Amino acid sequence: MKKFLTALLCVISLTMALFAFTACSNKQTYNCVGYDFTADDGEEMNMLNMLNSLTLVLNNDKTCTIQIVTPGENMSYSGTWEEKDGYITTDINSDWSMHLKKEGGKLIHTARETIGGKQGTSVVTFEKA
């Protein structure tokens, strides 16, 4: 019984240490869970089908990184971010600067863009990892 209680206390201590480490992390990581594009002609594309992953990392020092993994390559771009009035705005580059609305644990970016030569509207949804 004593060994069991000792083991249980060790497990509880390790679990609490893990939660404390996570809470004190110096970054927030968001994984893309939706990237939908609707062209002006009505064609709809699920852009996640072309990506292995899309990850946004917001560091506490107000720097950020977007990591894009496709079947052919890994790309990473850095920039800065700020939070104001329920939105997070990233300044990364012309393709990945975003104005993301905070909705619970999600960030949602809606914008006009051109994909495959077609103009349309995209909705990109990130969920906290």
Side-chain angles (χ1 to χ4, degrees):
M1 183 68 164
K2 187 176 181 179
K3 287 182 181 180
F4 173 76
L5 288 175
T6 302
L8 181 61
L9 285 174
C10 285
V11 168
I12 291 170
S13 295
L14 287 171
T15 303
M16 290 180 71
L18 177 62
F19 285 133
F21 176 76
T22 303
C24 297
S25 178
N26 62 354
K27 65 182 179 181
Q28 298 173 52
T29 302
Y30 292 86
N31 295 320
C32 183
V33 295
Y35 187 168
D36 299 308
F37 176 76
T38 303
D40 291 342
D41 65 6
E43 181 182 358
E44 295 181 356
M45 291 184 263
N46 179 348
M47 300 307 293
L48 281 181
N49 291 335
M50 299 176 199
L51 302 170
N52 289 351
S53 68
L54 178 61
T55 304
L56 175 65
V57 178
L58 304 175
N59 299 306
N60 285 348
D61 66 359
K62 298 299 183 184
T63 60
C64 62
T65 306
I66 189 96
Q67 298 165 336
I68 304 112
V69 179
T70 65
E73 63 185 317
N74 286 335
M75 297 164 282
S76 182
Y77 303 100
S78 297
T80 59
W81 69 277
E82 67 179 0
E83 183 174 356
K84 185 177 180 183
D85 299 329
Y87 285 86
I88 290 179
T89 302
T90 63
D91 184 12
I92 299 174
N93 64 25
S94 61
D95 291 328
W96 294 107
S97 291
M98 297 176 282
H99 190 65
L100 302 135
K101 183 176 182 181
K102 292 177 74 174
E103 290 187 7
K106 293 183 179 181
L107 301 176
I108 300 171
H109 172 69
T110 303
R112 296 283 300 163
E113 67 178 313
T114 302
I115 296 179
K118 294 186 176 194
Q119 287 274 324
T121 302
S122 63
V123 178
V124 184
T125 304
F126 290 91
E127 193 169 85
K128 198 165 190 177

